[in-house]
Amino acid sequence: PRQKRVDYVNGDVRDLDTLLETVDSYDVDCILHLAAMIGVRTDADPHVATAVNVLGTSNVFEAARLRSIRRVVFTSSVMREAGIGLPGSGGAHPGPRNLYGAHKLVGEFEAAIYRERFGLDVVVVVVAATLGLGRRGTSTERAPHLTMLAAADLDGVADVPAAREWSLPLRPVRDVAKIIVGAGVDANPGTFVQCGGRQTSLAELAEALQRRQPGFAARFTGGAWPGILPVDGSAADATFGIPLRDLDDLVAIALETT
């Protein structure tokens, strides 16, 4: 049987030469581009975040163009439209919630340009809120649902900076990974894939956490977090054979993969 192996190369997505050397050294034919500074980290260090998220993404597309890479999968985020209104639009259109969302939207536009102008096969995969290993964040950067999960780990009480009705689409990181890989290897995944997820309010999440961790409780303190619109991921479910999980299963996965 073929032995599975992953080679790790230390590098910086902002360095185009390193990307080209890596592509050449390993005879790369498909790039799954996930490198990014995410969430509130982008607001804390906007200059570095923009260099990583925008210049880094441009470098990936350019390396793929120069080396005639078969396909690039660019991971975007539902944060691309989780805000209220584009600048100057007066709230007429959904827009990025934060700088991270803006970076992802720029990446999607650049992907379209490389696809149309240079014939690069780019698949955009829009990722919703993921649960699982490595998806807890630190106390200063947690979204409301991650604050709840961290407290549930300790059977504690969570002060949640959002309303109980706040909702978002949830999906295990392992399922998202399968969709991203599938977009890289599938013969015809399309140019735009919505991962989707189970749309869940914080009140529903609290009830599910209490069923599993009876000592857990949530106090909803309100806040400026806007709800994330429901995302239809049924096409991805059908294409890649990944069913949408029920909420109790999602919670079990989130708590077991600390």
Side-chain angles (χ1 to χ4, degrees):
R2 183 177 178 182
Q3 184 178 2
K4 296 181 180 179
R5 188 185 70 176
V6 176
D7 293 313
Y8 293 89
V9 178
N10 290 323
D12 190 327
V13 74
R14 295 170 293 181
D15 184 349
L16 178 58
D17 289 338
T18 297
L19 287 175
L20 290 171
E21 290 171 7
T22 303
V23 166
D24 292 340
S25 297
Y26 292 90
D27 196 22
V28 172
D29 78 331
C30 179
I31 297 175
L32 308 181
H33 175 38
L34 292 87
M37 286 180 65
I38 67 174
V40 298
R41 295 179 186 176
T42 58
D43 298 332
D45 199 345
H47 182 71
V48 172
T50 300
V52 172
N53 295 350
V54 178
L55 175 61
T57 295
S58 186
N59 282 342
V60 169
F61 292 151
E62 185 65 2
R65 182 186 72 85
L66 292 173
R67 294 299 186 263
S68 300
I69 297 296
R70 175 180 61 82
R71 179 177 295 163
V72 175
V73 178
F74 168 61
T75 53
S76 187
S77 167
V78 291
M79 288 294 135
R80 66 201 278 279
E81 55 183 351
I84 303 174
L86 294 171
S89 70
H93 306 282
R97 182 186 178 275
N98 52 19
L99 192 59
Y100 173 63
H103 291 162
K104 290 302 185 181
L105 203 53
V106 170
E108 290 186 32
F109 277 106
E110 190 167 13
I113 290 171
Y114 268 85
R115 186 186 303 116
E116 295 165 5
R117 300 279 179 88
F118 305 114
L120 184 64
D121 185 357
V122 185
V123 180
V124 174
V125 176
V126 180
V127 177
T130 54
L131 300 176
L133 187 64
R135 298 300 302 149
R136 294 302 179 86
T138 66
S139 59
T140 59
E141 64 188 23
R142 288 187 183 122
H145 66 296
L146 298 181
T147 297
M148 294 168 66
L149 288 168
D153 265 342
L154 305 174
D155 260 355
V157 177
D159 287 319
V160 186
R164 58 187 292 110
E165 296 82 15
W166 188 81
S167 66
L168 73 172
L170 299 175
R171 190 142 218 178
V173 67
R174 65 182 67 167
D175 290 353
V176 172
K178 291 176 182 177
I179 292 172
I180 293 170
V181 172
V185 302
D186 193 80
N188 185 26
T191 59
F192 190 85
V193 177
Q194 284 275 16
C195 279
R198 181 166 296 284
Q199 193 72 19
T200 306
S201 71
L202 293 183
E204 292 171 326
L205 180 59
E207 291 172 0
L209 287 169
Q210 287 168 343
R211 286 194 291 271
R212 190 170 180 87
Q213 304 282 84
F216 168 76
R219 289 191 294 253
F220 299 103
T221 60
W225 289 87
I228 299 175
L229 298 173
V231 178
D232 183 7
S234 58
D237 299 342
T239 299
F240 304 112
I242 302 172
L244 197 62
R245 298 175 186 265
D246 64 39
L247 183 54
D248 287 328
D249 191 17
L250 286 171
V251 166
I253 291 171
L255 293 178
E256 290 170 1
T257 52
T258 305

